[in-house]
Amino acid sequence: MKIEDVLKSEKKYHTYERVILNLVYNTILIENIEESIFGRFGLTRAQYNVVRILRGSKDTTLNLFDIQDRMLKKMSNTTRLVDKLVTLELVDRETNPDNRRKVEISITSKGLDLLEKIDPVLEIKHKERLQKLSEEEQNTLISLLEKMR
């Protein structure tokens, strides 16, 4: 479906406008799907992002700066996100006894277990979203988006 049809617009958009509108619209569709999934598991999108980052760090702890640096969508409330995840027992926070300003954060087994439940649901929804694109088209899209960045 063309973006003009989605927007019910008679306007003739420039190519650059159509690109941006399509990127924004598809991003919103994906975000809505993901937020619905994360909500079923008691998480927000931002909380999921933090837990995902900590899983990706393997056995290494991260500090708040490291987490913020790796977030897809940078946020100023990372401390509050981590506090909530500690309350949910999905992450641990340890203060360095030699330097109280140094706080190390790691994922708990409960956090890993939750991601194990979310992963297959997310995978199905992502595959559904991309099913109309061949693998070659998906790789082309990746290349174009990386080039754009």
Side-chain angles (χ1 to χ4, degrees):
M1 177 181 285
K2 292 184 175 190
I3 194 68
E4 292 85 359
D5 296 335
V6 170
L7 299 175
K8 297 176 176 62
S9 176
E10 300 293 324
K11 180 182 177 188
K12 176 76 172 139
Y13 292 104
H14 295 282
T15 303
Y16 73 90
E17 291 175 305
R18 293 182 74 229
V19 169
I20 297 300
L21 287 169
N22 273 287
L23 286 170
V24 169
Y25 184 72
N26 280 290
T27 299
I28 290 168
L29 289 175
I30 293 166
E31 286 177 345
N32 288 343
I33 290 166
E34 289 182 348
E35 286 171 4
S36 170
I37 292 168
F38 303 144
R40 284 188 259 156
F41 291 93
L43 291 179
T44 65
R45 182 171 233 280
Q47 290 168 340
Y48 169 80
N49 194 17
V50 171
V51 178
R52 178 194 59 79
I53 289 166
L54 290 168
R55 175 179 59 184
S57 73
K58 308 254 186 241
D59 296 326
T60 306
T61 60
L62 298 177
N63 61 43
L64 286 172
F65 177 79
D66 293 331
I67 292 170
Q68 276 185 314
D69 189 50
R70 296 177 188 195
M71 291 181 82
L72 294 173
K73 189 172 186 177
K74 309 294 185 212
M75 305 182 85
S76 61
N77 65 344
T78 309
T79 302
R80 276 183 268 140
L81 286 173
V82 169
D83 288 346
K84 178 67 175 176
L85 293 169
V86 167
T87 301
L88 294 171
E89 299 176 347
L90 300 176
V91 305
D92 279 330
R93 179 180 40 221
E94 298 284 330
T95 304
N96 185 319
D98 298 328
N99 181 352
R100 297 192 59 162
R101 289 180 290 167
K102 188 173 181 185
V103 177
E104 298 295 329
I105 303 150
S106 60
I107 191 167
T108 63
S109 58
K110 184 176 178 181
L112 288 170
D113 291 343
L114 183 62
L115 289 179
E116 287 290 320
K117 293 174 185 169
I118 294 173
D119 286 345
V121 178
L122 205 53
E123 181 180 350
I124 289 167
K125 290 299 183 181
H126 285 169
K127 285 182 176 179
E128 284 175 3
R129 172 68 26 211
L130 295 170
Q131 70 184 351
K132 292 181 181 174
L133 299 178
S134 68
E135 188 164 345
E136 183 180 341
E137 289 171 324
Q138 290 178 43
N139 284 319
T140 299
L141 180 57
I142 290 167
S143 295
L144 292 170
L145 291 169
E146 287 174 347
K147 183 177 183 179
M148 189 174 137
R149 235 186 348 267

mmCIF file with all atom_site columns, all heavy atoms in Angstrom, residues 15-38:
data_model
loop_
_atom_site.group_PDB
_atom_site.id
_atom_site.type_symbol
_atom_site.label_atom_id
_atom_site.label_alt_id
_atom_site.label_comp_id
_atom_site.label_asym_id
_atom_site.label_entity_id
_atom_site.label_seq_id
_atom_site.pdbx_PDB_ins_code
_atom_site.Cartn_x
_atom_site.Cartn_y
_atom_site.Cartn_z
_atom_site.occupancy
_atom_site.B_iso_or_equiv
_atom_site.pdbx_formal_charge
_atom_site.auth_seq_id
_atom_site.auth_comp_id
_atom_site.auth_asym_id
_atom_site.auth_atom_id
_atom_site.pdbx_PDB_model_num
ATOM 1   N N   . THR A 1 15 ? 9.946  12.567 -3.445 1.00 0.00 ? 15 THR A N   1
ATOM 2   C CA  . THR A 1 15 ? 10.527 11.258 -3.141 1.00 0.00 ? 15 THR A CA  1
ATOM 3   C C   . THR A 1 15 ? 11.094 11.223 -1.731 1.00 0.00 ? 15 THR A C   1
ATOM 4   O O   . THR A 1 15 ? 10.858 10.278 -0.974 1.00 0.00 ? 15 THR A O   1
ATOM 5   C CB  . THR A 1 15 ? 11.616 10.888 -4.169 1.00 0.00 ? 15 THR A CB  1
ATOM 6   O OG1 . THR A 1 15 ? 11.040 10.924 -5.473 1.00 0.00 ? 15 THR A OG1 1
ATOM 7   C CG2 . THR A 1 15 ? 12.194 9.520  -3.890 1.00 0.00 ? 15 THR A CG2 1
ATOM 8   N N   . TYR A 1 16 ? 11.844 12.251 -1.344 1.00 0.00 ? 16 TYR A N   1
ATOM 9   C CA  . TYR A 1 16 ? 12.447 12.265 0.000  1.00 0.00 ? 16 TYR A CA  1
ATOM 10  C C   . TYR A 1 16 ? 11.364 12.232 1.076  1.00 0.00 ? 16 TYR A C   1
ATOM 11  O O   . TYR A 1 16 ? 11.526 11.606 2.126  1.00 0.00 ? 16 TYR A O   1
ATOM 12  C CB  . TYR A 1 16 ? 13.408 13.450 0.185  1.00 0.00 ? 16 TYR A CB  1
ATOM 13  C CG  . TYR A 1 16 ? 12.734 14.794 0.314  1.00 0.00 ? 16 TYR A CG  1
ATOM 14  C CD1 . TYR A 1 16 ? 12.366 15.281 1.570  1.00 0.00 ? 16 TYR A CD1 1
ATOM 15  C CD2 . TYR A 1 16 ? 12.463 15.584 -0.799 1.00 0.00 ? 16 TYR A CD2 1
ATOM 16  C CE1 . TYR A 1 16 ? 11.746 16.515 1.699  1.00 0.00 ? 16 TYR A CE1 1
ATOM 17  C CE2 . TYR A 1 16 ? 11.852 16.814 -0.680 1.00 0.00 ? 16 TYR A CE2 1
ATOM 18  C CZ  . TYR A 1 16 ? 11.495 17.270 0.570  1.00 0.00 ? 16 TYR A CZ  1
ATOM 19  O OH  . TYR A 1 16 ? 10.876 18.483 0.705  1.00 0.00 ? 16 TYR A OH  1
ATOM 20  N N   . GLU A 1 17 ? 10.228 12.912 0.831  1.00 0.00 ? 17 GLU A N   1
ATOM 21  C CA  . GLU A 1 17 ? 9.129  12.898 1.800  1.00 0.00 ? 17 GLU A CA  1
ATOM 22  C C   . GLU A 1 17 ? 8.520  11.496 1.893  1.00 0.00 ? 17 GLU A C   1
ATOM 23  O O   . GLU A 1 17 ? 8.196  11.030 2.991  1.00 0.00 ? 17 GLU A O   1
ATOM 24  C CB  . GLU A 1 17 ? 8.032  13.885 1.389  1.00 0.00 ? 17 GLU A CB  1
ATOM 25  C CG  . GLU A 1 17 ? 8.430  15.343 1.498  1.00 0.00 ? 17 GLU A CG  1
ATOM 26  C CD  . GLU A 1 17 ? 7.366  16.273 0.961  1.00 0.00 ? 17 GLU A CD  1
ATOM 27  O OE1 . GLU A 1 17 ? 6.952  16.109 -0.206 1.00 0.00 ? 17 GLU A OE1 1
ATOM 28  O OE2 . GLU A 1 17 ? 6.946  17.167 1.723  1.00 0.00 ? 17 GLU A OE2 1
ATOM 29  N N   . ARG A 1 18 ? 8.377  10.837 0.761  1.00 0.00 ? 18 ARG A N   1
ATOM 30  C CA  . ARG A 1 18 ? 7.813  9.489  0.745  1.00 0.00 ? 18 ARG A CA  1
ATOM 31  C C   . ARG A 1 18 ? 8.730  8.517  1.494  1.00 0.00 ? 18 ARG A C   1
ATOM 32  O O   . ARG A 1 18 ? 8.254  7.639  2.210  1.00 0.00 ? 18 ARG A O   1
ATOM 33  C CB  . ARG A 1 18 ? 7.584  9.027  -0.691 1.00 0.00 ? 18 ARG A CB  1
ATOM 34  C CG  . ARG A 1 18 ? 6.487  9.838  -1.379 1.00 0.00 ? 18 ARG A CG  1
ATOM 35  C CD  . ARG A 1 18 ? 6.185  9.378  -2.789 1.00 0.00 ? 18 ARG A CD  1
ATOM 36  N NE  . ARG A 1 18 ? 5.435  8.131  -2.693 1.00 0.00 ? 18 ARG A NE  1
ATOM 37  C CZ  . ARG A 1 18 ? 5.747  7.028  -3.386 1.00 0.00 ? 18 ARG A CZ  1
ATOM 38  N NH1 . ARG A 1 18 ? 6.764  7.001  -4.205 1.00 0.00 ? 18 ARG A NH1 1
ATOM 39  N NH2 . ARG A 1 18 ? 5.019  5.943  -3.238 1.00 0.00 ? 18 ARG A NH2 1
ATOM 40  N N   . VAL A 1 19 ? 10.038 8.688  1.313  1.00 0.00 ? 19 VAL A N   1
ATOM 41  C CA  . VAL A 1 19 ? 10.986 7.824  2.031  1.00 0.00 ? 19 VAL A CA  1
ATOM 42  C C   . VAL A 1 19 ? 10.821 8.008  3.529  1.00 0.00 ? 19 VAL A C   1
ATOM 43  O O   . VAL A 1 19 ? 10.659 7.035  4.274  1.00 0.00 ? 19 VAL A O   1
ATOM 44  C CB  . VAL A 1 19 ? 12.450 8.125  1.604  1.00 0.00 ? 19 VAL A CB  1
ATOM 45  C CG1 . VAL A 1 19 ? 13.442 7.441  2.533  1.00 0.00 ? 19 VAL A CG1 1
ATOM 46  C CG2 . VAL A 1 19 ? 12.687 7.710  0.155  1.00 0.00 ? 19 VAL A CG2 1
ATOM 47  N N   . ILE A 1 20 ? 10.861 9.241  3.984  1.00 0.00 ? 20 ILE A N   1
ATOM 48  C CA  . ILE A 1 20 ? 10.765 9.523  5.423  1.00 0.00 ? 20 ILE A CA  1
ATOM 49  C C   . ILE A 1 20 ? 9.420  9.076  5.977  1.00 0.00 ? 20 ILE A C   1
ATOM 50  O O   . ILE A 1 20 ? 9.356  8.426  7.033  1.00 0.00 ? 20 ILE A O   1
ATOM 51  C CB  . ILE A 1 20 ? 11.009 11.027 5.712  1.00 0.00 ? 20 ILE A CB  1
ATOM 52  C CG1 . ILE A 1 20 ? 12.422 11.433 5.303  1.00 0.00 ? 20 ILE A CG1 1
ATOM 53  C CG2 . ILE A 1 20 ? 10.724 11.357 7.176  1.00 0.00 ? 20 ILE A CG2 1
ATOM 54  C CD1 . ILE A 1 20 ? 13.549 10.693 6.018  1.00 0.00 ? 20 ILE A CD1 1
ATOM 55  N N   . LEU A 1 21 ? 8.328  9.389  5.283  1.00 0.00 ? 21 LEU A N   1
ATOM 56  C CA  . LEU A 1 21 ? 7.003  8.974  5.759  1.00 0.00 ? 21 LEU A CA  1
ATOM 57  C C   . LEU A 1 21 ? 6.913  7.454  5.857  1.00 0.00 ? 21 LEU A C   1
ATOM 58  O O   . LEU A 1 21 ? 6.351  6.921  6.825  1.00 0.00 ? 21 LEU A O   1
ATOM 59  C CB  . LEU A 1 21 ? 5.910  9.518  4.840  1.00 0.00 ? 21 LEU A CB  1
ATOM 60  C CG  . LEU A 1 21 ? 5.637  11.016 4.954  1.00 0.00 ? 21 LEU A CG  1
ATOM 61  C CD1 . LEU A 1 21 ? 4.739  11.491 3.815  1.00 0.00 ? 21 LEU A CD1 1
ATOM 62  C CD2 . LEU A 1 21 ? 5.028  11.354 6.304  1.00 0.00 ? 21 LEU A CD2 1
ATOM 63  N N   . ASN A 1 22 ? 7.449  6.740  4.879  1.00 0.00 ? 22 ASN A N   1
ATOM 64  C CA  . ASN A 1 22 ? 7.430  5.273  4.926  1.00 0.00 ? 22 ASN A CA  1
ATOM 65  C C   . ASN A 1 22 ? 8.276  4.737  6.077  1.00 0.00 ? 22 ASN A C   1
ATOM 66  O O   . ASN A 1 22 ? 7.868  3.798  6.761  1.00 0.00 ? 22 ASN A O   1
ATOM 67  C CB  . ASN A 1 22 ? 7.915  4.689  3.590  1.00 0.00 ? 22 ASN A CB  1
ATOM 68  C CG  . ASN A 1 22 ? 6.800  4.548  2.599  1.00 0.00 ? 22 ASN A CG  1
ATOM 69  O OD1 . ASN A 1 22 ? 5.955  3.678  2.734  1.00 0.00 ? 22 ASN A OD1 1
ATOM 70  N ND2 . ASN A 1 22 ? 6.771  5.427  1.611  1.00 0.00 ? 22 ASN A ND2 1
ATOM 71  N N   . LEU A 1 23 ? 9.448  5.333  6.295  1.00 0.00 ? 23 LEU A N   1
ATOM 72  C CA  . LEU A 1 23 ? 10.290 4.893  7.412  1.00 0.00 ? 23 LEU A CA  1
ATOM 73  C C   . LEU A 1 23 ? 9.583  5.119  8.746  1.00 0.00 ? 23 LEU A C   1
ATOM 74  O O   . LEU A 1 23 ? 9.543  4.235  9.604  1.00 0.00 ? 23 LEU A O   1
ATOM 75  C CB  . LEU A 1 23 ? 11.634 5.629  7.400  1.00 0.00 ? 23 LEU A CB  1
ATOM 76  C CG  . LEU A 1 23 ? 12.627 5.211  6.334  1.00 0.00 ? 23 LEU A CG  1
ATOM 77  C CD1 . LEU A 1 23 ? 13.799 6.190  6.283  1.00 0.00 ? 23 LEU A CD1 1
ATOM 78  C CD2 . LEU A 1 23 ? 13.127 3.793  6.583  1.00 0.00 ? 23 LEU A CD2 1
ATOM 79  N N   . VAL A 1 24 ? 9.004  6.306  8.919  1.00 0.00 ? 24 VAL A N   1
ATOM 80  C CA  . VAL A 1 24 ? 8.324  6.638  10.167 1.00 0.00 ? 24 VAL A CA  1
ATOM 81  C C   . VAL A 1 24 ? 7.120  5.728  10.369 1.00 0.00 ? 24 VAL A C   1
ATOM 82  O O   . VAL A 1 24 ? 6.923  5.163  11.462 1.00 0.00 ? 24 VAL A O   1
ATOM 83  C CB  . VAL A 1 24 ? 7.906  8.129  10.188 1.00 0.00 ? 24 VAL A CB  1
ATOM 84  C CG1 . VAL A 1 24 ? 6.965  8.423  11.344 1.00 0.00 ? 24 VAL A CG1 1
ATOM 85  C CG2 . VAL A 1 24 ? 9.138  9.019  10.249 1.00 0.00 ? 24 VAL A CG2 1
ATOM 86  N N   . TYR A 1 25 ? 6.316  5.561  9.341  1.00 0.00 ? 25 TYR A N   1
ATOM 87  C CA  . TYR A 1 25 ? 5.110  4.743  9.460  1.00 0.00 ? 25 TYR A CA  1
ATOM 88  C C   . TYR A 1 25 ? 5.451  3.294  9.802  1.00 0.00 ? 25 TYR A C   1
ATOM 89  O O   . TYR A 1 25 ? 4.845  2.705  10.699 1.00 0.00 ? 25 TYR A O   1
ATOM 90  C CB  . TYR A 1 25 ? 4.283  4.821  8.166  1.00 0.00 ? 25 TYR A CB  1
ATOM 91  C CG  . TYR A 1 25 ? 2.982  4.081  8.258  1.00 0.00 ? 25 TYR A CG  1
ATOM 92  C CD1 . TYR A 1 25 ? 1.936  4.577  9.030  1.00 0.00 ? 25 TYR A CD1 1
ATOM 93  C CD2 . TYR A 1 25 ? 2.795  2.873  7.597  1.00 0.00 ? 25 TYR A CD2 1
ATOM 94  C CE1 . TYR A 1 25 ? 0.733  3.891  9.140  1.00 0.00 ? 25 TYR A CE1 1
ATOM 95  C CE2 . TYR A 1 25 ? 1.593  2.185  7.697  1.00 0.00 ? 25 TYR A CE2 1
ATOM 96  C CZ  . TYR A 1 25 ? 0.574  2.694  8.462  1.00 0.00 ? 25 TYR A CZ  1
ATOM 97  O OH  . TYR A 1 25 ? -0.612 2.015  8.572  1.00 0.00 ? 25 TYR A OH  1
ATOM 98  N N   . ASN A 1 26 ? 6.430  2.725  9.117  1.00 0.00 ? 26 ASN A N   1
ATOM 99  C CA  . ASN A 1 26 ? 6.820  1.342  9.403  1.00 0.00 ? 26 ASN A CA  1
ATOM 100 C C   . ASN A 1 26 ? 7.438  1.200  10.791 1.00 0.00 ? 26 ASN A C   1
ATOM 101 O O   . ASN A 1 26 ? 7.213  0.196  11.468 1.00 0.00 ? 26 ASN A O   1
ATOM 102 C CB  . ASN A 1 26 ? 7.757  0.806  8.320  1.00 0.00 ? 26 ASN A CB  1
ATOM 103 C CG  . ASN A 1 26 ? 6.978  0.376  7.098  1.00 0.00 ? 26 ASN A CG  1
ATOM 104 O OD1 . ASN A 1 26 ? 6.270  -0.611 7.123  1.00 0.00 ? 26 ASN A OD1 1
ATOM 105 N ND2 . ASN A 1 26 ? 7.082  1.152  6.039  1.00 0.00 ? 26 ASN A ND2 1
ATOM 106 N N   . THR A 1 27 ? 8.174  2.201  11.215 1.00 0.00 ? 27 THR A N   1
ATOM 107 C CA  . THR A 1 27 ? 8.738  2.181  12.566 1.00 0.00 ? 27 THR A CA  1
ATOM 108 C C   . THR A 1 27 ? 7.626  2.169  13.608 1.00 0.00 ? 27 THR A C   1
ATOM 109 O O   . THR A 1 27 ? 7.669  1.407  14.574 1.00 0.00 ? 27 THR A O   1
ATOM 110 C CB  . THR A 1 27 ? 9.667  3.394  12.783 1.00 0.00 ? 27 THR A CB  1
ATOM 111 O OG1 . THR A 1 27 ? 10.742 3.316  11.852 1.00 0.00 ? 27 THR A OG1 1
ATOM 112 C CG2 . THR A 1 27 ? 10.211 3.432  14.204 1.00 0.00 ? 27 THR A CG2 1
ATOM 113 N N   . ILE A 1 28 ? 6.614  2.982  13.397 1.00 0.00 ? 28 ILE A N   1
ATOM 114 C CA  . ILE A 1 28 ? 5.486  3.032  14.330 1.00 0.00 ? 28 ILE A CA  1
ATOM 115 C C   . ILE A 1 28 ? 4.753  1.695  14.367 1.00 0.00 ? 28 ILE A C   1
ATOM 116 O O   . ILE A 1 28 ? 4.390  1.202  15.446 1.00 0.00 ? 28 ILE A O   1
ATOM 117 C CB  . ILE A 1 28 ? 4.536  4.193  13.976 1.00 0.00 ? 28 ILE A CB  1
ATOM 118 C CG1 . ILE A 1 28 ? 5.219  5.527  14.278 1.00 0.00 ? 28 ILE A CG1 1
ATOM 119 C CG2 . ILE A 1 28 ? 3.208  4.081  14.726 1.00 0.00 ? 28 ILE A CG2 1
ATOM 120 C CD1 . ILE A 1 28 ? 4.511  6.742  13.704 1.00 0.00 ? 28 ILE A CD1 1
ATOM 121 N N   . LEU A 1 29 ? 4.548  1.081  13.205 1.00 0.00 ? 29 LEU A N   1
ATOM 122 C CA  . LEU A 1 29 ? 3.904  -0.232 13.173 1.00 0.00 ? 29 LEU A CA  1
ATOM 123 C C   . LEU A 1 29 ? 4.696  -1.249 13.987 1.00 0.00 ? 29 LEU A C   1
ATOM 124 O O   . LEU A 1 29 ? 4.133  -2.005 14.782 1.00 0.00 ? 29 LEU A O   1
ATOM 125 C CB  . LEU A 1 29 ? 3.761  -0.729 11.731 1.00 0.00 ? 29 LEU A CB  1
ATOM 126 C CG  . LEU A 1 29 ? 2.738  -0.018 10.851 1.00 0.00 ? 29 LEU A CG  1
ATOM 127 C CD1 . LEU A 1 29 ? 2.809  -0.555 9.423  1.00 0.00 ? 29 LEU A CD1 1
ATOM 128 C CD2 . LEU A 1 29 ? 1.339  -0.174 11.410 1.00 0.00 ? 29 LEU A CD2 1
ATOM 129 N N   . ILE A 1 30 ? 6.004  -1.266 13.805 1.00 0.00 ? 30 ILE A N   1
ATOM 130 C CA  . ILE A 1 30 ? 6.872  -2.211 14.530 1.00 0.00 ? 30 ILE A CA  1
ATOM 131 C C   . ILE A 1 30 ? 6.852  -1.902 16.025 1.00 0.00 ? 30 ILE A C   1
ATOM 132 O O   . ILE A 1 30 ? 6.729  -2.808 16.861 1.00 0.00 ? 30 ILE A O   1
ATOM 133 C CB  . ILE A 1 30 ? 8.303  -2.186 13.970 1.00 0.00 ? 30 ILE A CB  1
ATOM 134 C CG1 . ILE A 1 30 ? 8.304  -2.751 12.543 1.00 0.00 ? 30 ILE A CG1 1
ATOM 135 C CG2 . ILE A 1 30 ? 9.271  -2.962 14.865 1.00 0.00 ? 30 ILE A CG2 1
ATOM 136 C CD1 . ILE A 1 30 ? 9.568  -2.482 11.749 1.00 0.00 ? 30 ILE A CD1 1
ATOM 137 N N   . GLU A 1 31 ? 6.959  -0.632 16.380 1.00 0.00 ? 31 GLU A N   1
ATOM 138 C CA  . GLU A 1 31 ? 6.933  -0.249 17.795 1.00 0.00 ? 31 GLU A CA  1
ATOM 139 C C   . GLU A 1 31 ? 5.623  -0.666 18.460 1.00 0.00 ? 31 GLU A C   1
ATOM 140 O O   . GLU A 1 31 ? 5.622  -1.143 19.595 1.00 0.00 ? 31 GLU A O   1
ATOM 141 C CB  . GLU A 1 31 ? 7.142  1.259  17.953 1.00 0.00 ? 31 GLU A CB  1
ATOM 142 C CG  . GLU A 1 31 ? 8.566  1.691  17.710 1.00 0.00 ? 31 GLU A CG  1
ATOM 143 C CD  . GLU A 1 31 ? 8.762  3.202  17.795 1.00 0.00 ? 31 GLU A CD  1
ATOM 144 O OE1 . GLU A 1 31 ? 7.759  3.962  17.768 1.00 0.00 ? 31 GLU A OE1 1
ATOM 145 O OE2 . GLU A 1 31 ? 9.927  3.623  17.876 1.00 0.00 ? 31 GLU A OE2 1
ATOM 146 N N   . ASN A 1 32 ? 4.505  -0.476 17.777 1.00 0.00 ? 32 ASN A N   1
ATOM 147 C CA  . ASN A 1 32 ? 3.206  -0.861 18.343 1.00 0.00 ? 32 ASN A CA  1
ATOM 148 C C   . ASN A 1 32 ? 3.130  -2.362 18.587 1.00 0.00 ? 32 ASN A C   1
ATOM 149 O O   . ASN A 1 32 ? 2.633  -2.805 19.631 1.00 0.00 ? 32 ASN A O   1
ATOM 150 C CB  . ASN A 1 32 ? 2.065  -0.401 17.438 1.00 0.00 ? 32 ASN A CB  1
ATOM 151 C CG  . ASN A 1 32 ? 1.865  1.094  17.462 1.00 0.00 ? 32 ASN A CG  1
ATOM 152 O OD1 . ASN A 1 32 ? 2.345  1.790  18.356 1.00 0.00 ? 32 ASN A OD1 1
ATOM 153 N ND2 . ASN A 1 32 ? 1.172  1.605  16.470 1.00 0.00 ? 32 ASN A ND2 1
ATOM 154 N N   . ILE A 1 33 ? 3.608  -3.141 17.645 1.00 0.00 ? 33 ILE A N   1
ATOM 155 C CA  . ILE A 1 33 ? 3.627  -4.604 17.804 1.00 0.00 ? 33 ILE A CA  1
ATOM 156 C C   . ILE A 1 33 ? 4.496  -4.980 19.002 1.00 0.00 ? 33 ILE A C   1
ATOM 157 O O   . ILE A 1 33 ? 4.096  -5.774 19.852 1.00 0.00 ? 33 ILE A O   1
ATOM 158 C CB  . ILE A 1 33 ? 4.139  -5.288 16.521 1.00 0.00 ? 33 ILE A CB  1
ATOM 159 C CG1 . ILE A 1 33 ? 3.101  -5.151 15.403 1.00 0.00 ? 33 ILE A CG1 1
ATOM 160 C CG2 . ILE A 1 33 ? 4.485  -6.750 16.774 1.00 0.00 ? 33 ILE A CG2 1
ATOM 161 C CD1 . ILE A 1 33 ? 3.642  -5.487 14.021 1.00 0.00 ? 33 ILE A CD1 1
ATOM 162 N N   . GLU A 1 34 ? 5.696  -4.407 19.057 1.00 0.00 ? 34 GLU A N   1
ATOM 163 C CA  . GLU A 1 34 ? 6.618  -4.737 20.146 1.00 0.00 ? 34 GLU A CA  1
ATOM 164 C C   . GLU A 1 34 ? 6.078  -4.296 21.495 1.00 0.00 ? 34 GLU A C   1
ATOM 165 O O   . GLU A 1 34 ? 6.170  -5.037 22.475 1.00 0.00 ? 34 GLU A O   1
ATOM 166 C CB  . GLU A 1 34 ? 7.994  -4.110 19.874 1.00 0.00 ? 34 GLU A CB  1
ATOM 167 C CG  . GLU A 1 34 ? 8.723  -4.785 18.732 1.00 0.00 ? 34 GLU A CG  1
ATOM 168 C CD  . GLU A 1 34 ? 10.099 -4.208 18.476 1.00 0.00 ? 34 GLU A CD  1
ATOM 169 O OE1 . GLU A 1 34 ? 10.423 -3.128 19.021 1.00 0.00 ? 34 GLU A OE1 1
ATOM 170 O OE2 . GLU A 1 34 ? 10.864 -4.847 17.735 1.00 0.00 ? 34 GLU A OE2 1
ATOM 171 N N   . GLU A 1 35 ? 5.516  -3.104 21.579 1.00 0.00 ? 35 GLU A N   1
ATOM 172 C CA  . GLU A 1 35 ? 4.969  -2.624 22.847 1.00 0.00 ? 35 GLU A CA  1
ATOM 173 C C   . GLU A 1 35 ? 3.854  -3.532 23.344 1.00 0.00 ? 35 GLU A C   1
ATOM 174 O O   . GLU A 1 35 ? 3.742  -3.784 24.550 1.00 0.00 ? 35 GLU A O   1
ATOM 175 C CB  . GLU A 1 35 ? 4.488  -1.182 22.707 1.00 0.00 ? 35 GLU A CB  1
ATOM 176 C CG  . GLU A 1 35 ? 5.641  -0.195 22.649 1.00 0.00 ? 35 GLU A CG  1
ATOM 177 C CD  . GLU A 1 35 ? 5.215  1.216  22.284 1.00 0.00 ? 35 GLU A CD  1
ATOM 178 O OE1 . GLU A 1 35 ? 4.001  1.483  22.136 1.00 0.00 ? 35 GLU A OE1 1
ATOM 179 O OE2 . GLU A 1 35 ? 6.116  2.059  22.137 1.00 0.00 ? 35 GLU A OE2 1
ATOM 180 N N   . SER A 1 36 ? 3.055  -4.043 22.434 1.00 0.00 ? 36 SER A N   1
ATOM 181 C CA  . SER A 1 36 ? 1.994  -4.983 22.797 1.00 0.00 ? 36 SER A CA  1
ATOM 182 C C   . SER A 1 36 ? 2.601  -6.262 23.390 1.00 0.00 ? 36 SER A C   1
ATOM 183 O O   . SER A 1 36 ? 2.117  -6.773 24.408 1.00 0.00 ? 36 SER A O   1
ATOM 184 C CB  . SER A 1 36 ? 1.158  -5.306 21.561 1.00 0.00 ? 36 SER A CB  1
ATOM 185 O OG  . SER A 1 36 ? 0.287  -6.363 21.824 1.00 0.00 ? 36 SER A OG  1
ATOM 186 N N   . ILE A 1 37 ? 3.642  -6.754 22.762 1.00 0.00 ? 37 ILE A N   1
ATOM 187 C CA  . ILE A 1 37 ? 4.311  -7.974 23.255 1.00 0.00 ? 37 ILE A CA  1
ATOM 188 C C   . ILE A 1 37 ? 4.942  -7.711 24.620 1.00 0.00 ? 37 ILE A C   1
ATOM 189 O O   . ILE A 1 37 ? 4.732  -8.472 25.569 1.00 0.00 ? 37 ILE A O   1
ATOM 190 C CB  . ILE A 1 37 ? 5.370  -8.466 22.248 1.00 0.00 ? 37 ILE A CB  1
ATOM 191 C CG1 . ILE A 1 37 ? 4.684  -8.964 20.975 1.00 0.00 ? 37 ILE A CG1 1
ATOM 192 C CG2 . ILE A 1 37 ? 6.247  -9.557 22.862 1.00 0.00 ? 37 ILE A CG2 1
ATOM 193 C CD1 . ILE A 1 37 ? 5.626  -9.196 19.810 1.00 0.00 ? 37 ILE A CD1 1
ATOM 194 N N   . PHE A 1 38 ? 5.723  -6.651 24.729 1.00 0.00 ? 38 PHE A N   1
ATOM 195 C CA  . PHE A 1 38 ? 6.407  -6.372 25.991 1.00 0.00 ? 38 PHE A CA  1
ATOM 196 C C   . PHE A 1 38 ? 5.403  -6.146 27.111 1.00 0.00 ? 38 PHE A C   1
ATOM 197 O O   . PHE A 1 38 ? 5.618  -6.580 28.245 1.00 0.00 ? 38 PHE A O   1
ATOM 198 C CB  . PHE A 1 38 ? 7.336  -5.153 25.861 1.00 0.00 ? 38 PHE A CB  1
ATOM 199 C CG  . PHE A 1 38 ? 8.369  -5.285 24.770 1.00 0.00 ? 38 PHE A CG  1
ATOM 200 C CD1 . PHE A 1 38 ? 8.752  -4.192 24.030 1.00 0.00 ? 38 PHE A CD1 1
ATOM 201 C CD2 . PHE A 1 38 ? 8.952  -6.512 24.469 1.00 0.00 ? 38 PHE A CD2 1
ATOM 202 C CE1 . PHE A 1 38 ? 9.697  -4.298 23.019 1.00 0.00 ? 38 PHE A CE1 1
ATOM 203 C CE2 . PHE A 1 38 ? 9.889  -6.641 23.461 1.00 0.00 ? 38 PHE A CE2 1
ATOM 204 C CZ  . PHE A 1 38 ? 10.262 -5.519 22.735 1.00 0.00 ? 38 PHE A CZ  1
#
